[in-house]
Coordinates of all heavy atoms in Angstrom, one line a residue:
M299 N -16.5 -14.2 8.6 CA -15.6 -13.4 7.8 C -14.4 -13.1 8.6 O -14.4 -13.0 9.7 CB -16.4 -12.2 7.3 CG -15.6 -11.4 6.3 SD -16.7 -10.2 5.6 CE -15.5 -8.9 5.1
G300 N -13.2 -12.9 7.8 CA -12.0 -12.6 8.5 C -11.9 -11.2 9.0 O -12.8 -10.4 9.0
E301 N -10.7 -11.0 9.6 CA -10.4 -9.7 10.2 C -10.4 -8.6 9.1 O -10.0 -8.8 8.0 CB -9.1 -9.8 10.9 CG -9.1 -10.8 12.0 CD -8.9 -10.1 13.3 OE1 -8.5 -8.9 13.4 OE2 -9.1 -10.8 14.4
A302 N -10.8 -7.4 9.5 CA -10.6 -6.2 8.7 C -9.2 -5.8 8.6 O -8.5 -6.1 9.6 CB -11.6 -5.1 9.1
L303 N -8.8 -5.1 7.5 CA -7.5 -4.5 7.5 C -7.3 -3.4 8.5 O -8.2 -2.6 8.6 CB -7.2 -4.0 6.1 CG -7.0 -5.0 5.0 CD1 -6.8 -4.3 3.6 CD2 -5.8 -5.9 5.3
S304 N -6.2 -3.4 9.1 CA -5.9 -2.3 10.0 C -5.5 -1.0 9.1 O -5.3 -1.2 7.9 CB -4.7 -2.6 10.9 OG -3.5 -2.6 10.2
E305 N -5.5 0.1 9.8 CA -5.1 1.3 9.0 C -3.7 1.2 8.5 O -3.4 1.6 7.3 CB -5.1 2.5 10.0 CG -4.9 3.9 9.3 CD -5.1 5.0 10.3 OE1 -6.0 5.0 11.1 OE2 -4.3 6.0 10.2
R306 N -2.8 0.6 9.3 CA -1.4 0.4 8.8 C -1.4 -0.6 7.6 O -0.6 -0.4 6.6 CB -0.5 -0.1 9.9 CG 0.9 -0.3 9.4 CD 1.9 -0.6 10.4 NE 1.9 -2.1 10.7 CZ 2.9 -2.7 11.3 NH1 3.9 -2.1 11.8 NH2 2.8 -4.0 11.6
D307 N -2.1 -1.6 7.6 CA -2.2 -2.6 6.5 C -2.7 -1.9 5.2 O -2.1 -2.2 4.2 CB -3.1 -3.8 6.9 CG -2.5 -4.7 8.0 OD1 -1.4 -4.5 8.4 OD2 -3.3 -5.5 8.5
R308 N -3.7 -1.1 5.3 CA -4.1 -0.4 4.2 C -3.1 0.6 3.7 O -2.9 0.7 2.5 CB -5.5 0.4 4.5 CG -6.7 -0.5 4.6 CD -8.0 0.3 4.7 NE -8.0 1.2 5.8 CZ -8.4 0.9 7.1 NH1 -8.7 -0.4 7.3 NH2 -8.4 1.8 8.0
A309 N -2.4 1.2 4.6 CA -1.3 2.2 4.2 C -0.2 1.4 3.5 O 0.4 1.9 2.5 CB -0.7 2.9 5.5
V310 N 0.1 0.2 4.0 CA 1.1 -0.6 3.3 C 0.7 -0.9 1.9 O 1.5 -0.8 0.9 CB 1.4 -1.9 4.1 CG1 2.2 -2.9 3.3 CG2 2.2 -1.6 5.4
L311 N -0.5 -1.3 1.7 CA -1.0 -1.6 0.4 C -1.0 -0.4 -0.5 O -0.6 -0.4 -1.7 CB -2.4 -2.2 0.4 CG -2.5 -3.7 1.0 CD1 -3.9 -4.1 1.1 CD2 -1.7 -4.7 0.1
D312 N -1.4 0.7 0.0 CA -1.4 2.0 -0.7 C 0.0 2.3 -1.1 O 0.3 2.8 -2.3 CB -2.0 3.2 0.1 CG -3.5 3.0 0.3 OD1 -4.2 2.2 -0.5 OD2 -4.0 3.7 1.2
F313 N 1.0 2.1 -0.2 CA 2.4 2.4 -0.4 C 2.9 1.6 -1.6 O 3.7 2.0 -2.5 CB 3.1 2.2 0.8 CG 4.6 2.5 0.8 CD1 5.0 3.8 0.9 CD2 5.6 1.6 0.5 CE1 6.3 4.2 0.9 CE2 6.9 1.9 0.5 CZ 7.3 3.2 0.7
E314 N 2.5 0.3 -1.6 CA 2.9 -0.6 -2.7 C 2.4 -0.3 -4.1 O 2.9 -0.8 -5.1 CB 2.6 -2.1 -2.3 CG 3.4 -2.6 -1.2 CD 5.0 -2.6 -1.7 OE1 5.3 -3.2 -2.8 OE2 5.8 -2.3 -0.9
R315 N 1.3 0.5 -4.2 CA 0.8 0.9 -5.4 C 1.7 1.9 -6.2 O 1.6 2.1 -7.4 CB -0.6 1.6 -5.3 CG -1.6 0.6 -5.2 CD -3.0 1.3 -5.3 NE -3.9 0.4 -4.5 CZ -4.3 0.7 -3.3 NH1 -3.8 1.7 -2.6 NH2 -5.2 -0.1 -2.6
R316 N 2.6 2.6 -5.4 CA 3.4 3.6 -5.9 C 4.5 3.0 -6.8 O 5.0 1.9 -6.6 CB 4.1 4.5 -4.8 CG 3.0 5.2 -4.0 CD 3.6 5.8 -2.8 NE 4.6 6.8 -3.1 CZ 5.3 7.5 -2.2 NH1 5.0 7.3 -0.9 NH2 6.2 8.3 -2.5
Q317 N 5.0 3.8 -7.7 CA 6.1 3.4 -8.7 C 7.4 4.1 -8.1 O 7.3 5.3 -7.7 CB 5.8 3.9 -10.1 CG 4.6 3.4 -10.7 CD 4.8 1.9 -11.0 OE1 5.8 1.5 -11.4 NE2 3.6 1.2 -10.9
W318 N 8.4 3.4 -8.1 CA 9.7 3.9 -7.6 C 10.7 3.8 -8.7 O 10.9 2.7 -9.3 CB 10.2 3.0 -6.4 CG 9.2 3.1 -5.3 CD1 8.2 2.2 -5.1 CD2 9.0 4.1 -4.4 NE1 7.4 2.6 -4.0 CE2 7.9 3.8 -3.5 CE3 9.7 5.3 -4.1 CZ2 7.5 4.6 -2.5 CZ3 9.3 6.1 -3.1 CH2 8.2 5.7 -2.3
K319 N 11.5 5.0 -8.9 CA 12.5 4.9 -9.9 C 13.8 4.3 -9.4 O 14.6 3.7 -10.1 CB 12.8 6.4 -10.4 CG 11.7 7.0 -11.2 CD 12.0 8.3 -11.7 CE 10.8 8.8 -12.5 NZ 11.2 10.1 -13.1
H320 N 14.0 4.5 -8.1 CA 15.3 4.0 -7.5 C 14.9 3.3 -6.1 O 14.1 3.8 -5.4 CB 16.2 5.1 -7.2 CG 16.5 6.0 -8.3 ND1 17.3 5.6 -9.4 CD2 16.1 7.3 -8.6 CE1 17.4 6.6 -10.2 NE2 16.6 7.6 -9.9
A321 N 15.5 2.1 -6.0 CA 15.3 1.4 -4.8 C 15.6 2.1 -3.5 O 14.9 2.1 -2.5 CB 16.1 0.0 -4.7
G322 N 16.6 2.9 -3.6 CA 17.0 3.7 -2.4 C 15.9 4.7 -1.9 O 15.7 5.0 -0.8
D323 N 15.2 5.2 -2.9 CA 14.1 6.2 -2.6 C 13.0 5.4 -1.9 O 12.4 6.0 -0.9 CB 13.5 6.7 -3.9 CG 14.4 7.6 -4.7 OD1 15.4 8.1 -4.1 OD2 14.1 7.8 -5.9
K324 N 12.7 4.2 -2.3 CA 11.7 3.4 -1.6 C 12.1 3.1 -0.2 O 11.3 3.1 0.8 CB 11.3 2.1 -2.4 CG 10.2 1.4 -1.7 CD 9.8 0.2 -2.6 CE 8.6 -0.6 -2.0 NZ 8.2 -1.7 -2.8
E325 N 13.3 2.7 0.0 CA 13.9 2.3 1.3 C 13.8 3.5 2.2 O 13.4 3.3 3.4 CB 15.3 1.8 1.2 CG 15.6 0.7 0.2 CD 14.7 -0.5 0.3 OE1 14.3 -1.0 1.4 OE2 14.1 -0.9 -0.7
Q326 N 14.1 4.7 1.8 CA 14.0 5.9 2.6 C 12.6 6.2 2.9 O 12.2 6.6 4.1 CB 14.7 7.1 1.9 CG 14.7 8.3 2.8 CD 15.5 8.1 4.1 OE1 16.6 7.6 4.0 NE2 14.9 8.5 5.2
A327 N 11.7 6.0 2.0 CA 10.3 6.3 2.3 C 9.7 5.3 3.2 O 8.8 5.7 4.0 CB 9.5 6.2 0.9
I328 N 10.2 4.1 3.2 CA 9.7 3.1 4.2 C 10.1 3.6 5.6 O 9.3 3.5 6.5 CB 10.3 1.7 3.9 CG1 9.7 1.1 2.7 CG2 10.2 0.8 5.1 CD1 10.4 -0.1 2.1
R329 N 11.4 4.0 5.7 CA 11.8 4.5 7.1 C 11.0 5.7 7.5 O 10.6 5.8 8.7 CB 13.3 4.8 7.1 CG 14.2 3.6 7.1 CD 15.7 3.9 7.3 NE 16.2 4.6 6.1 CZ 16.6 4.1 5.0 NH1 16.6 2.8 4.8 NH2 17.1 4.8 4.0
D330 N 10.8 6.7 6.5 CA 10.1 7.9 6.9 C 8.6 7.7 7.2 O 8.1 8.3 8.1 CB 10.2 8.9 5.7 CG 11.6 9.4 5.4 OD1 12.5 9.2 6.3 OD2 11.8 9.9 4.4
Q331 N 7.9 6.9 6.4 CA 6.5 6.7 6.5 C 6.1 5.7 7.6 O 5.1 5.9 8.3 CB 5.9 6.3 5.2 CG 4.3 6.3 5.2 CD 3.7 6.1 3.9 OE1 4.3 6.4 2.8 NE2 2.5 5.7 3.8
F332 N 6.9 4.7 7.7 CA 6.4 3.5 8.6 C 7.4 3.4 9.8 O 7.0 2.7 10.8 CB 6.4 2.3 7.9 CG 5.3 2.2 6.8 CD1 5.7 2.4 5.5 CD2 4.0 2.1 7.1 CE1 4.8 2.4 4.5 CE2 3.0 2.2 6.1 CZ 3.5 2.3 4.8
G333 N 8.5 4.1 9.8 CA 9.5 3.9 10.9 C 10.0 2.5 11.1 O 10.3 2.1 12.2
L334 N 10.1 1.8 9.9 CA 10.5 0.4 9.9 C 11.8 0.3 9.1 O 12.0 1.0 8.1 CB 9.5 -0.5 9.4 CG 8.1 -0.6 10.0 CD1 7.1 -1.4 9.3 CD2 8.3 -1.1 11.5
S335 N 12.6 -0.8 9.4 CA 13.7 -1.1 8.5 C 13.0 -1.8 7.3 O 11.9 -2.2 7.4 CB 14.6 -2.1 9.2 OG 13.9 -3.4 9.4
S336 N 13.8 -1.9 6.2 CA 13.2 -2.5 5.0 C 12.9 -4.0 5.3 O 11.8 -4.4 4.8 CB 14.3 -2.5 3.9 OG 14.5 -1.1 3.5
A337 N 13.8 -4.7 6.0 CA 13.5 -6.1 6.3 C 12.2 -6.2 7.1 O 11.3 -7.1 6.7 CB 14.6 -6.7 7.1
R338 N 12.0 -5.4 8.1 CA 10.7 -5.5 8.9 C 9.5 -5.1 8.0 O 8.4 -5.8 8.1 CB 10.8 -4.6 10.1 CG 9.6 -4.6 11.0 CD 9.4 -6.0 11.6 NE 8.2 -6.1 12.4 CZ 7.2 -7.0 12.2 NH1 7.4 -8.0 11.4 NH2 6.1 -6.9 12.9
Y339 N 9.6 -4.1 7.2 CA 8.5 -3.7 6.3 C 8.1 -4.8 5.4 O 6.9 -5.1 5.3 CB 8.9 -2.4 5.5 CG 7.9 -2.2 4.4 CD1 6.8 -1.4 4.6 CD2 8.1 -2.6 3.1 CE1 5.9 -1.2 3.7 CE2 7.1 -2.4 2.1 CZ 6.0 -1.7 2.4 OH 5.1 -1.4 1.4
Y340 N 9.1 -5.6 4.8 CA 8.7 -6.7 3.9 C 8.1 -7.8 4.7 O 7.4 -8.6 4.1 CB 9.9 -7.0 3.1 CG 10.2 -6.0 2.0 CD1 11.3 -5.1 2.0 CD2 9.3 -5.8 0.9 CE1 11.5 -4.2 1.1 CE2 9.4 -4.8 0.0 CZ 10.6 -4.0 0.0 OH 10.7 -3.0 -0.9
Q341 N 8.5 -8.0 5.9 CA 7.8 -9.0 6.8 C 6.4 -8.6 7.0 O 5.4 -9.4 6.8 CB 8.5 -9.1 8.1 CG 9.9 -9.8 8.1 CD 10.6 -9.7 9.4 OE1 10.2 -9.0 10.3 NE2 11.6 -10.6 9.5
V342 N 6.1 -7.4 7.3 CA 4.7 -6.9 7.4 C 4.0 -7.0 6.1 O 2.9 -7.5 6.1 CB 4.8 -5.4 7.9 CG1 3.4 -4.8 7.8 CG2 5.3 -5.3 9.3
L343 N 4.6 -6.6 5.0 CA 3.9 -6.7 3.7 C 3.5 -8.2 3.4 O 2.5 -8.5 3.0 CB 4.9 -6.2 2.6 CG 4.3 -6.3 1.2 CD1 3.0 -5.6 1.0 CD2 5.4 -5.9 0.2
G344 N 4.5 -9.1 3.7 CA 4.2 -10.5 3.5 C 3.0 -11.0 4.3 O 2.1 -11.8 3.7
R345 N 2.9 -10.5 5.5 CA 1.7 -10.9 6.3 C 0.4 -10.3 5.8 O -0.6 -10.9 5.7 CB 1.9 -10.4 7.7 CG 0.7 -10.8 8.7 CD 0.8 -10.1 10.0 NE 1.1 -8.6 10.0 CZ 0.1 -7.7 9.7 NH1 -1.1 -8.2 9.5 NH2 0.5 -6.5 9.7
V346 N 0.5 -9.0 5.3 CA -0.7 -8.4 4.8 C -1.2 -9.1 3.5 O -2.4 -9.3 3.4 CB -0.3 -6.9 4.5 CG1 -1.5 -6.2 3.7 CG2 0.0 -6.1 5.8
I347 N -0.3 -9.4 2.6 CA -0.8 -10.0 1.3 C -1.3 -11.5 1.5 O -1.9 -12.0 0.6 CB 0.3 -9.9 0.2 CG1 1.5 -10.7 0.5 CG2 0.6 -8.5 -0.1 CD1 2.5 -10.8 -0.7
E348 N -1.1 -12.0 2.7 CA -1.7 -13.3 2.9 C -3.1 -13.2 3.5 O -3.8 -14.2 3.7 CB -0.8 -14.1 3.9 CG 0.4 -14.6 3.3 CD 0.2 -15.5 2.0 OE1 -0.7 -16.4 2.1 OE2 0.8 -15.2 1.0
S349 N -3.5 -12.0 3.9 CA -4.7 -11.7 4.5 C -5.9 -11.8 3.5 O -5.9 -11.1 2.5 CB -4.7 -10.3 5.2 OG -6.0 -9.9 5.5
P350 N -6.9 -12.6 3.8 CA -8.1 -12.5 2.9 C -8.7 -11.1 2.8 O -9.2 -10.7 1.7 CB -9.1 -13.5 3.6 CG -8.2 -14.4 4.5 CD -7.1 -13.5 4.9
A351 N -8.6 -10.3 3.9 CA -9.1 -9.0 3.8 C -8.4 -8.1 2.8 O -8.9 -7.2 2.2 CB -9.1 -8.3 5.2
A352 N -7.1 -8.3 2.7 CA -6.3 -7.6 1.7 C -6.7 -8.0 0.3 O -6.8 -7.1 -0.6 CB -4.8 -7.9 1.9
L353 N -7.0 -9.3 0.1 CA -7.4 -9.7 -1.2 C -8.8 -9.1 -1.6 O -9.0 -8.7 -2.8 CB -7.5 -11.2 -1.2 CG -7.6 -11.9 -2.6 CD1 -6.5 -11.5 -3.5 CD2 -7.7 -13.4 -2.4
V354 N -9.6 -8.9 -0.6 CA -10.9 -8.3 -0.9 C -10.7 -6.7 -1.2 O -11.3 -6.1 -2.0 CB -11.9 -8.4 0.3 CG1 -13.1 -7.5 0.2 CG2 -12.2 -9.9 0.4
H355 N -9.8 -6.1 -0.4 CA -9.5 -4.7 -0.5 C -9.0 -4.3 -1.9 O -9.4 -3.3 -2.5 CB -8.5 -4.3 0.6 CG -8.1 -2.9 0.6 ND1 -9.0 -1.8 1.0 CD2 -7.0 -2.2 0.2 CE1 -8.4 -0.7 0.9 NE2 -7.2 -1.0 0.4
D356 N -8.0 -5.1 -2.4 CA -7.4 -4.7 -3.6 C -6.9 -6.0 -4.3 O -5.6 -6.4 -4.3 CB -6.2 -3.8 -3.5 CG -5.8 -3.1 -4.8 OD1 -5.9 -3.8 -5.8 OD2 -5.2 -2.0 -4.8
P357 N -7.8 -6.8 -4.9 CA -7.4 -8.1 -5.4 C -6.2 -8.1 -6.5 O -5.4 -8.9 -6.4 CB -8.7 -8.7 -6.0 CG -9.6 -7.6 -6.0 CD -9.2 -6.5 -5.1
M358 N -6.3 -7.2 -7.4 CA -5.3 -7.1 -8.4 C -3.9 -6.8 -7.8 O -2.9 -7.5 -8.2 CB -5.6 -6.1 -9.5 CG -6.8 -6.5 -10.3 SD -7.3 -5.3 -11.6 CE -5.8 -5.1 -12.5
L359 N -3.8 -5.8 -6.9 CA -2.5 -5.6 -6.3 C -2.0 -6.7 -5.5 O -0.8 -7.1 -5.6 CB -2.6 -4.3 -5.4 CG -1.4 -4.0 -4.6 CD1 -0.2 -3.6 -5.5 CD2 -1.7 -2.9 -3.6
V360 N -2.9 -7.3 -4.7 CA -2.4 -8.4 -3.8 C -2.0 -9.6 -4.6 O -0.9 -10.2 -4.3 CB -3.5 -8.8 -2.8 CG1 -3.2 -10.0 -2.0 CG2 -3.8 -7.6 -1.9
R361 N -2.7 -9.9 -5.7 CA -2.3 -11.1 -6.5 C -1.0 -10.8 -7.2 O -0.1 -11.7 -7.3 CB -3.4 -11.4 -7.6 CG -4.5 -12.1 -6.9 CD -5.5 -12.6 -7.9 NE -6.7 -13.1 -7.3 CZ -7.9 -12.6 -7.4 NH1 -8.1 -11.5 -8.1 NH2 -8.9 -13.2 -6.8
R362 N -0.8 -9.5 -7.7 CA 0.5 -9.2 -8.3 C 1.7 -9.3 -7.3 O 2.7 -9.9 -7.6 CB 0.4 -7.7 -8.8 CG 1.8 -7.3 -9.4 CD 1.8 -5.9 -10.0 NE 1.5 -4.9 -9.1 CZ 2.4 -4.3 -8.3 NH1 3.7 -4.8 -8.3 NH2 2.1 -3.4 -7.4
L363 N 1.4 -8.8 -6.1 CA 2.5 -9.0 -5.1 C 2.8 -10.4 -4.7 O 3.9 -10.8 -4.4 CB 2.1 -8.1 -3.8 CG 2.0 -6.6 -4.0 CD1 1.4 -6.0 -2.8 CD2 3.4 -6.0 -4.3
Q364 N 1.7 -11.2 -4.6 CA 1.9 -12.6 -4.4 C 2.7 -13.3 -5.5 O 3.6 -14.1 -5.2 CB 0.6 -13.3 -4.2 CG -0.1 -12.9 -2.9 CD -1.5 -13.5 -2.8 OE1 -2.1 -13.8 -3.8 NE2 -2.0 -13.6 -1.6
R365 N 2.4 -12.9 -6.8 CA 3.2 -13.5 -7.9 C 4.7 -13.1 -7.8 O 5.5 -13.8 -8.0 CB 2.6 -13.0 -9.2 CG 1.3 -13.8 -9.6 CD 0.9 -13.6 -11.0 NE 0.9 -12.1 -11.4 CZ -0.3 -11.4 -11.2 NH1 -1.3 -11.9 -10.8 NH2 -0.2 -10.1 -11.6
V366 N 4.9 -11.8 -7.5 CA 6.3 -11.3 -7.4 C 7.0 -12.1 -6.3 O 8.2 -12.5 -6.5 CB 6.3 -9.8 -7.2 CG1 7.7 -9.3 -6.8 CG2 5.8 -9.1 -8.4
R367 N 6.4 -12.2 -5.2 CA 7.0 -13.0 -4.1 C 7.3 -14.4 -4.4 O 8.4 -14.9 -4.2 CB 6.1 -12.9 -2.8 CG 6.7 -13.7 -1.7 CD 5.9 -13.7 -0.4 NE 4.6 -14.4 -0.7 CZ 3.6 -14.4 0.1 NH1 3.7 -13.8 1.2 NH2 2.5 -15.1 -0.3
A368 N 6.3 -15.0 -5.1 CA 6.6 -16.4 -5.5 C 7.7 -16.5 -6.5 O 8.5 -17.5 -6.4 CB 5.3 -17.0 -6.2
A369 N 7.8 -15.6 -7.4 CA 8.9 -15.6 -8.4 C 10.2 -15.5 -7.7 O 11.2 -16.1 -8.0 CB 8.7 -14.6 -9.5
R370 N 10.3 -14.6 -6.7 CA 11.5 -14.3 -6.0 C 12.0 -15.6 -5.2 O 13.1 -15.9 -5.1 CB 11.4 -13.1 -5.1 CG 11.5 -11.8 -5.8 CD 11.5 -10.7 -4.9 NE 11.5 -9.4 -5.7 CZ 10.9 -8.3 -5.3 NH1 10.3 -8.2 -4.3 NH2 11.0 -7.2 -6.1
L371 N 11.0 -16.2 -4.6 CA 11.2 -17.4 -3.8 C 11.7 -18.5 -4.7 O 12.7 -19.3 -4.4 CB 10.0 -17.9 -3.0 CG 9.7 -17.0 -1.8 CD1 8.3 -17.4 -1.3 CD2 10.7 -17.0 -0.8
A372 N 11.2 -18.7 -5.9 CA 11.6 -19.7 -6.9 C 13.0 -19.5 -7.4 O 13.8 -20.3 -7.5 CB 10.6 -19.8 -8.0
A373 N 13.3 -18.1 -7.6 CA 14.6 -17.8 -8.1 C 15.6 -18.1 -7.0 O 16.8 -18.6 -7.3 CB 14.7 -16.3 -8.5
R374 N 15.3 -17.8 -5.7 CA 16.2 -18.1 -4.6 C 16.4 -19.6 -4.5 O 17.5 -20.0 -4.3 CB 15.7 -17.5 -3.3 CG 16.6 -17.7 -2.2 CD 16.0 -17.1 -0.9 NE 15.7 -15.7 -0.9 CZ 14.7 -15.1 -0.4 NH1 13.9 -15.8 0.3 NH2 14.6 -13.8 -0.6
A375 N 15.4 -20.3 -4.6 CA 15.5 -21.8 -4.5 C 16.4 -22.3 -5.6 O 17.2 -23.2 -5.4 CB 14.1 -22.5 -4.5
D376 N 16.3 -21.8 -6.9 CA 17.1 -22.2 -7.9 C 18.6 -21.9 -7.7 O 19.5 -22.7 -8.0 CB 16.7 -21.6 -9.3 CG 15.4 -22.2 -9.8 OD1 15.0 -23.2 -9.3 OD2 14.8 -21.5 -10.7
R377 N 18.8 -20.7 -7.1 CA 20.2 -20.4 -6.8 C 20.8 -21.3 -5.8 O 22.0 -21.5 -5.8 CB 20.3 -18.9 -6.4 CG 20.2 -18.0 -7.4 CD 20.6 -16.5 -7.0 NE 19.9 -16.1 -5.7 CZ 18.8 -15.5 -5.6 NH1 18.0 -15.2 -6.6 NH2 18.3 -15.2 -4.4
L378 N 20.0 -21.7 -4.8 CA 20.5 -22.5 -3.7 C 20.6 -24.0 -4.0 O 21.2 -24.7 -3.3 CB 19.6 -22.3 -2.5 CG 19.6 -20.9 -1.9 CD1 18.6 -20.8 -0.7 CD2 21.0 -20.5 -1.4
R379 N 19.9 -24.4 -5.1 CA 19.9 -25.8 -5.5 C 21.3 -26.2 -5.9 O 21.9 -25.5 -6.8 CB 18.9 -26.0 -6.6 CG 18.7 -27.5 -6.9 CD 17.5 -27.7 -7.9 NE 16.3 -27.3 -7.3 CZ 15.5 -26.3 -7.8 NH1 15.8 -25.7 -8.9 NH2 14.4 -26.0 -7.2
P380 N 21.8 -27.3 -5.4 CA 23.2 -27.7 -5.9 C 23.2 -28.2 -7.3 O 22.2 -28.7 -7.8 CB 23.5 -28.9 -5.0 CG 22.3 -29.2 -4.2 CD 21.3 -28.1 -4.4
P381 N 24.3 -27.9 -8.0 CA 24.3 -28.3 -9.4 C 24.3 -29.8 -9.6 O 24.8 -30.5 -8.7 CB 25.7 -27.7 -9.9 CG 26.4 -27.2 -8.8 CD 25.4 -27.2 -7.6
Q382 N 23.8 -30.3 -10.6 CA 23.7 -31.8 -10.8 C 24.8 -32.2 -11.8 O 25.2 -31.6 -12.6 CB 22.3 -32.1 -11.3 CG 21.3 -31.9 -10.2 CD 19.9 -32.3 -10.8 OE1 19.7 -32.6 -12.0 NE2 19.0 -32.4 -9.9

């Protein structure tokens, strides 16, 4: 079996369950709660949602986050694709 989630990994998943009215509020909360820049936090989140332990911990949340990430990557690829 894979590694268990660390306390910080569980905290990141718990944090992602919250609803945010304004992006700035979330960015400030990331700095306050984790002491990380937004960029670093999203790197950590990306690693966490790839973990089999995260999928076991909260499958619905992790799958949703994976779908959101995939959609963002696809949109970025579309923007970067040269016009034909």
Side-chain angles (χ1 to χ4, degrees):
M299 187 165 155
E301 299 244 345
L303 287 176
S304 69
E305 186 175 324
R306 181 173 83 162
D307 292 350
R308 284 190 302 277
V310 166
L311 290 175
D312 292 343
F313 186 82
E314 284 300 312
R315 279 190 209 97
R316 296 172 58 182
Q317 299 288 326
W318 300 96
K319 291 184 180 185
H320 306 286
D323 294 342
K324 184 175 183 180
E325 307 310 316
Q326 184 62 48
I328 288 168
R329 286 188 294 277
D330 294 346
Q331 186 168 340
F332 298 103
L334 299 172
S335 69
S336 295
R338 180 67 184 127
Y339 170 80
Y340 287 109
Q341 289 173 344
V342 170
L343 176 61
R345 180 189 53 77
V346 170
I347 66 173
E348 287 304 313
S349 163
L353 194 57
V354 169
H355 178 75
D356 193 334
M358 288 179 58
L359 174 66
V360 171
R361 285 189 186 112
R362 179 177 62 81
L363 293 171
Q364 289 172 338
R365 282 191 308 271
V366 168
R367 180 182 61 186
R370 286 185 181 148
L371 289 172
R374 182 179 302 142
D376 287 344
R377 285 193 312 271
L378 296 175
R379 188 172 296 120
Q382 294 181 346

